[in-house]
Amino acid sequence: MSSVPERSEIDTEYKWDLESVYATDEEWEEAYEAVAERVDDLSAYEGRVTEDGETLLEVLELRDSIMREVSNVAAYARMRRDEDTRDQEYQALTARAQSLHSDAASAASFIEPEIQERTREELDEMVAATEGLERYEHYLDDVLRMKEHTRSAEVEELLAELGEVTHGTGEVYNMLTNADMEFPTVEDPDGDAVEISLSNFTTLQKRQDREFRQEVYEQFYDEWETVRNAVGTAYKNSVKADVKEARARGYDTAREAALDGPNIPADVYDNLVDTARENLDTLHRHADLKREALGVDELRMWDLYMPMTESESPEVTYEEAKDYVVEAVAALGEDYQSRVAEGLESRWVDVYENRGKQAGAYSSGTYDTQPFILMNYQDDIASMYTLAHELGHSLHSQYTSETQPYVYSDYEIFVAEVASTVNEALLTHHLLDTVEDPEFRRHVLNEYLERFRSTLYRQTMFADFEHRVHQLEENDEAITPDRLDQVYGDLKAEFYEPAVVDDRIAREWMRIPHFYRAYYVFQYSTGISAAVALAQGILEEGEPAAERYIEFLQRGSREYPLELLRHAGVDMRSPEPVQRALDEYDEHLDEMADLI
């Protein structure tokens, strides 16, 4: 029987080294208590934040010091919980850490409204007269930029305190889908029992036996139907919270509020959706090519993940994947490559799936810790690409933490997804240049095409979906599971026109955790677009382009995202990078068509 192991059955070398953060839970408890006691120290500055430059510097440094410790406490608790989401002890630690973060944010909530009472000229004078305050210049500019949407100190404190509650639907969804839901066990063509999980569903959808894929697909989505009302209610309330918080801050829409934080104009979002729609014929071509490769009359939803190859993905062990990724990033220079190699041998990665483990993959860690990567490695090419992706995030964080003060260490997702996807592009070029086995090469090309499809087109479709759902709430229209099915199903039918769209796939919105972070997913699509341009430059120009890219990683959030990318060589205000990425996708389809 193919089953998911318990965590105790996983060897230590394949588990991340959380003991490097806190050696024991008792040490975590001491850190928690210590920083909790410091939170009240901020109150001594209320009402006098900008009485002079020295006071402003003191309060900003105190706030940063406290939030650094809070982030360590919160990261450890969250990662321990994600090792096994059924563990109520770590659920409790995570809840306490989230409350502490909320308390700290609330205690510091008076700082920015008081800064906004000053003019830019007055703040510039303080910066000029106070040694050390110059590091906060960009931060102060950002605070003044948000003045129109910052409420009074009292309201900001209330919003900060309510944040734990208003964003709680994502936690409910996470517990329901990772800890409580149990998916069926099905019999594979060899007669072995296979337990479906969130982590292996996509892998099972790549099995050669079509009847098996159909059974997995139907069983998986039928299980989602059993929690339809719970998930529908969670998402509805998440959208309501987004809209109400935006209105509380004086924004007309939730999208305006979400994009204003990273200072992204709405036309960047619209350019992405419009350009993808104008090029749907390329996605439709991919679907038709897949139907031809599979030799079927109709492309069904359980065929979408199938590779356009004559066999299942060749096995790529974790050890092999590490070697491939380290070799692939050589184009970024010796320093970058050595960091990747060292991280992979220093227990950055929690490698394999275990019962109760958080599904998917992510990069974590804090300003003061080593990077950490959660994986659910499945010994295939897709997992190798996911490893490269998450290492991109980890190296971005490491470079930023080493070169920027804490205030600029939390870079925006808009640029984060560039760093991860550059690694994917370099991995593809490396494998196609060095691997001679024709079937392996075909799988690599297929994987890259699938990542274009799923990252650029699919995430853009997701972005269109969540924007439409937020508009329902903003127009006082009811958000029900049936309405969500309708909106999602219509988009799926449009984007995958050559395929047969059935009723079950209309429920796919239920399994997308990123919807609980408003207007997040579009950044995957803009990220791959920028990454394609940067990777092409690195491979064509060599060292100068690689150095500009490393500098981009080192800048963190010291500038606004569009400025950072422009300095690296990409203008995301223009549709050109999106079109350029789609053109590369089309060119790779030509290559695959020739092979087929």
Side-chain angles (χ1 to χ4, degrees):
M1 176 177 178
S2 174
S3 61
V4 180
E6 293 292 341
R7 186 162 183 82
S8 59
E9 300 175 63
I10 306 292
D11 290 342
T12 299
E13 65 180 301
Y14 298 116
K15 298 176 184 177
W16 51 19
D17 182 20
L18 294 189
E19 290 79 9
S20 65
V21 184
Y22 298 110
T24 63
D25 290 350
E26 290 72 24
E27 187 175 314
W28 177 91
E29 189 70 43
E30 293 173 3
Y32 174 94
E33 295 295 341
V35 71
E37 291 178 3
R38 296 182 63 207
V39 169
D40 288 340
D41 293 348
L42 288 164
S43 62
Y45 292 90
E46 189 164 5
R48 60 186 194 91
V49 169
T50 59
E51 64 182 15
D52 54 49
E54 288 75 13
T55 304
L56 177 58
L57 179 61
E58 285 176 14
V59 69
L60 292 177
E61 289 181 335
L62 175 61
R63 181 201 59 187
D64 288 355
S65 174
I66 290 171
M67 295 309 295
R68 278 177 68 171
E69 290 299 323
V70 170
S71 67
N72 292 336
V73 166
Y76 176 88
R78 183 182 65 253
M79 288 188 285
R80 281 296 189 202
R81 179 204 63 189
D82 288 349
E83 292 175 344
D84 186 348
T85 58
R86 303 168 301 174
D87 190 318
Q88 295 191 16
E89 177 184 350
Y90 288 120
Q91 289 180 28
L93 259 61
T94 302
R96 290 175 60 199
Q98 289 171 337
S99 293
L100 177 62
H101 186 279
S102 180
D103 290 344
S106 176
S109 61
F110 65 88
I111 296 174
E112 293 184 358
E114 290 192 30
I115 291 173
Q116 290 166 342
E117 292 174 0
R118 292 287 193 167
T119 65
R120 187 175 301 274
E121 291 72 20
E122 289 173 327
L123 290 173
D124 286 345
E125 290 176 6
M126 289 185 194
V127 169
T130 310
E131 184 178 355
L133 194 54
E134 68 279 355
R135 79 172 67 101
Y136 288 97
E137 278 188 282
H138 176 67
Y139 164 78
L140 294 172
D141 179 75
D142 201 28
V143 171
L144 290 181
R145 183 179 66 83
M146 301 295 288
K147 182 175 183 177
E148 179 184 354
H149 300 288
T150 304
R151 305 282 74 109
S152 67
E154 293 79 10
V155 172
E156 285 296 327
E157 181 178 6
L158 178 61
L159 290 172
E161 289 179 348
L162 287 175
E164 183 181 358
V165 177
T166 55
H167 299 291
T169 51
E171 286 296 308
V172 173
Y173 174 85
N174 181 60
M175 287 294 105
L176 174 67
T177 57
N178 287 287
D180 293 341
M181 288 183 72
E182 292 187 6
F183 293 93
T185 296
V186 294
E187 186 176 295
D188 72 9
D190 296 326
D192 295 326
V194 179
E195 182 180 356
I196 303 171
S197 70
L198 288 174
S199 295
N200 72 9
F201 170 71
T202 300
T203 300
L204 296 178
Q205 289 289 277
K206 297 176 184 177
R207 294 284 188 94
Q208 288 288 317
D209 190 286
R210 199 181 190 209
E211 290 184 2
F212 175 73
R213 296 200 307 272
Q214 180 178 353
E215 183 178 7
V216 169
Y217 170 85
E218 291 177 351
Q219 295 273 13
F220 181 75
Y221 281 109
D222 285 349
E223 188 63 30
W224 282 104
E225 181 68 11
T226 67
V227 293
R228 175 181 183 77
N229 292 316
V231 176
T233 300
Y235 187 47
K236 174 189 70 177
N237 286 325
S238 179
V239 172
K240 282 182 175 291
D242 296 336
V243 172
K244 290 184 182 300
E245 184 173 346
R247 287 174 176 169
R249 294 191 176 281
Y251 291 101
D252 292 331
T253 66
R255 185 177 77 162
E256 183 185 351
L259 299 188
D260 198 30
N263 199 19
I264 305 296
D267 58 2
V268 172
Y269 198 100
D270 292 333
N271 280 339
L272 169 68
V273 175
D274 292 344
T275 305
R277 285 184 175 281
E278 290 166 5
N279 288 269
L280 282 180
D281 58 328
T282 307
L283 178 61
H284 296 166
R285 180 187 174 208
H286 190 174
D288 281 330
L289 195 60
K290 181 166 292 193
R291 178 187 55 76
E292 179 183 344
L294 297 180
V296 296
D297 294 332
E298 293 180 323
L299 192 73
R300 304 300 298 256
M301 291 297 102
W302 49 85
D303 299 322
L304 288 184
Y305 290 99
M306 274 299 293
M308 293 183 288
T309 58
E310 296 176 354
S311 63
E312 294 182 9
S313 172
E315 181 180 70
V316 180
T317 67
Y318 179 63
E319 300 303 327
E320 291 171 330
K322 290 194 298 184
D323 290 340
Y324 281 130
V325 173
V326 170
E327 292 165 2
V329 299
L332 294 176
E334 183 179 347
D335 182 68
Y336 189 100
Q337 186 181 38
S338 64
R339 288 168 183 262
V340 170
E342 182 181 352
L344 289 170
E345 300 303 324
S346 303
R347 292 179 58 199
W348 283 11
V349 188
D350 203 77
V351 182
Y352 296 114
E353 180 181 11
N354 59 254
R355 284 187 176 274
K357 186 176 180 180
Q358 171 70 39
Y362 64 69
S363 173
S364 186
T366 73
Y367 188 76
D368 298 300
T369 73
Q370 68 175 50
F372 294 97
I373 296 173
L374 179 137
M375 290 280 295
N376 284 275
Y377 197 85
Q378 298 289 321
D379 284 340
D380 57 16
I381 285 179
S383 292
M384 174 174 60
Y385 270 84
T386 300
L387 178 63
H389 180 104
E390 300 305 337
L391 281 164
H393 290 311
S394 294
L395 269 292
H396 193 178
S397 296
Q398 190 179 63
Y399 273 115
T400 295
S401 295
E402 289 178 0
T403 55
Q404 297 297 330
Y406 175 76
V407 67
Y408 302 128
S409 63
D410 190 17
Y411 49 80
E412 298 289 349
I413 297 299
F414 194 88
V415 294
E417 292 308 325
V418 175
S420 57
T421 316
V422 163
N423 274 13
E424 292 184 24
L426 294 177
L427 178 61
T428 299
H429 285 282
H430 169 70
L431 293 173
L432 292 178
D433 286 345
T434 59
V435 175
E436 295 182 359
D437 180 76
E439 189 61 13
F440 193 97
R441 290 171 58 82
R442 190 163 163 176
H443 274 282
V444 168
L445 186 56
N446 178 82
E447 181 64 27
Y448 198 45
L449 287 171
E450 283 299 301
R451 285 183 174 264
F452 262 102
R453 178 188 69 79
S454 61
T455 303
L456 210 161
Y457 280 109
R458 189 168 186 253
Q459 299 296 336
T460 299
M461 183 185 71
F462 286 169
D464 202 353
F465 169 76
E466 70 169 335
H467 186 45
R468 292 180 187 217
V469 174
H470 280 81
Q471 287 178 318
L472 290 177
E473 175 62 24
E474 287 159 355
N475 293 330
D476 296 321
E477 297 184 45
I479 299 176
T480 65
D482 286 346
R483 189 62 185 277
L484 293 168
D485 282 357
Q486 177 194 346
V487 174
Y488 192 88
D490 288 347
L491 283 169
K492 195 78 175 184
E494 179 186 2
F495 273 69
Y496 291 90
E497 184 180 287
V500 177
V501 177
D502 57 60
D503 291 340
R504 285 184 175 89
I505 200 63
R507 305 171 199 158
E508 189 176 33
W509 60 269
M510 297 174 64
R511 76 176 187 96
I512 311 301
H514 288 124
F515 287 155
Y516 294 85
R517 298 180 66 177
Y519 294 95
Y520 176 94
V521 294
F522 89 98
Q523 296 166 114
Y524 286 111
S525 303
T526 55
I528 192 174
S529 301
V532 164
L534 290 171
Q536 288 175 351
I538 291 164
L539 292 169
E540 293 169 4
E541 188 181 346
E543 187 175 346
E547 289 178 352
R548 288 196 303 271
Y549 178 71
I550 298 300
E551 184 179 350
F552 158 76
L553 299 181
Q554 292 172 332
R555 297 293 287 173
S557 60
R558 187 174 278 277
E559 297 172 271
Y560 296 116
L562 294 184
E563 294 174 3
L564 289 166
L565 287 171
R566 187 163 52 250
H567 292 159
V570 182
D571 180 10
M572 291 306 298
R573 287 294 298 265
S574 162
E576 190 270 337
V578 180
Q579 187 62 56
R580 186 172 174 180
L582 291 170
D583 289 343
E584 177 163 314
Y585 174 58
D586 197 37
E587 291 171 8
H588 284 308
L589 282 174
D590 287 339
E591 295 177 45
M592 182 60 83
D594 290 341
L595 290 173
I596 291 175

